[in-house]
Amino acid sequence: MFQGKDITCIRGERLVFTGLDFSVGSGGALVLIGPNGSGKSSLLRMMAGLLRPASGKMEWNGENALDDFDEHASNLHYVGHHDAVKPVLSVLENVRFWAGVRGGEVSDKNILTALDAFAAKHLADIPGRFLSAGQKRRVNLARIIAAPAPLWLLDEPTTALDRASISLLDKAIKHHREGGGIVVLSTHADIDLEAATVLDISDYSLKKIERGAA
């Protein structure tokens, strides 16, 4: 179980959202929606332990998830919406690097299987600088399969993906959830997540709160 309780986000001197709660259990999915600037990426980074909430807490199986960053990081994959493919490394080396960030060795067999899941196995030896935007996105996503983790945090994972690639992502997420995994993602595109919980971040913005109190 992954939970957030009374979370407040402040960036610079701006209150982005406050009083936010979420809960997602084994096999569950949480979809974050809201306009640009509402805090979807900030919340995902908080979930990953890369940002600290101004107040509130996050729990993993009843324990404070942010007390031990290394332990929390070992339970998750965070894939941001920015390009994380290193141009001088091959596709296989890129996936090995990012999958290995969680610690431990990742076999080439696992990497090739992960690339194949996103129709990118044929790119294994190609340097990152030669990839298209869609190919880079598929390579970024391959790491979530190459080194398994129970919690996937995906920031707009469908960016630059065509319909066929989105279908591959749907399939990967479905398989992960069937095995008890948890997925939290933000997206502006259609993605088929059965029985997902939708969280509109803008419901927790200061303007929305003040309007409701008026």
Side-chain angles (χ1 to χ4, degrees):
M1 177 68 72
F2 187 39
Q3 293 179 295
K5 300 179 179 180
D6 199 23
I7 304 295
T8 294
C9 174
I10 297 175
R11 300 301 304 272
E13 297 182 354
R14 184 173 75 94
L15 177 62
V16 182
F17 56 76
T18 188
L20 185 147
D21 299 308
F22 70 85
S23 179
V24 56
S26 177
L30 180 65
V31 179
L32 309 180
I33 64 172
N36 290 338
S38 60
K40 299 185 298 295
S41 293
S42 294
L43 179 57
L44 282 165
R45 288 176 62 81
M46 286 182 179
M47 291 177 171
L50 301 174
L51 289 177
R52 288 278 176 172
S55 63
K57 65 178 182 177
M58 296 190 186
E59 296 182 346
W60 179 258
N61 292 333
E63 301 291 334
N64 192 321
L66 305 183
D67 277 349
D68 187 330
F69 175 80
D70 290 337
E71 181 177 354
H72 184 54
S74 71
N75 289 320
L76 64 87
H77 274 300
Y78 167 74
V79 180
H81 62 274
H82 294 299
D83 171 23
V85 173
K86 296 180 179 297
V88 299
L89 298 182
S90 71
V91 163
L92 189 142
E93 289 168 338
N94 266 284
V95 177
R96 181 190 294 126
F97 172 81
W98 286 112
V101 166
R102 295 185 56 252
E105 293 285 333
V106 181
S107 71
D108 286 356
K109 180 180 179 180
N110 283 356
I111 294 172
L112 292 173
T113 297
L115 288 170
D116 195 39
F118 288 99
K121 186 177 179 179
H122 64 289
L123 302 172
D125 296 324
I126 304 297
R129 65 180 177 273
F130 294 123
L131 302 181
S132 69
Q135 288 171 336
K136 288 178 181 178
R137 173 55 51 175
R138 282 150 51 203
V139 170
N140 275 327
L141 290 168
R143 68 174 116 140
I144 65 181
I145 294 178
L151 174 62
W152 291 0
L153 304 174
L154 311 177
D155 196 353
E156 299 195 21
T158 57
T159 299
L161 294 183
D162 57 21
R163 289 185 179 180
S165 298
I166 291 175
S167 293
L168 294 175
L169 176 59
D170 288 341
K171 182 178 178 181
I173 290 174
K174 181 179 180 181
H175 181 74
H176 181 61
R177 294 176 65 191
E178 287 174 346
I182 296 172
V183 177
V184 182
L185 63 82
S186 65
T187 185
H188 292 294
D190 291 333
I191 187 166
D192 183 19
L193 295 184
E194 183 179 352
T197 299
V198 176
L199 178 63
D200 189 341
I201 307 299
S202 65
D203 286 344
Y204 299 90
S205 70
L206 182 60
K207 288 184 180 178
K208 186 68 71 73
I209 292 168
E210 289 177 337
R211 191 181 307 125

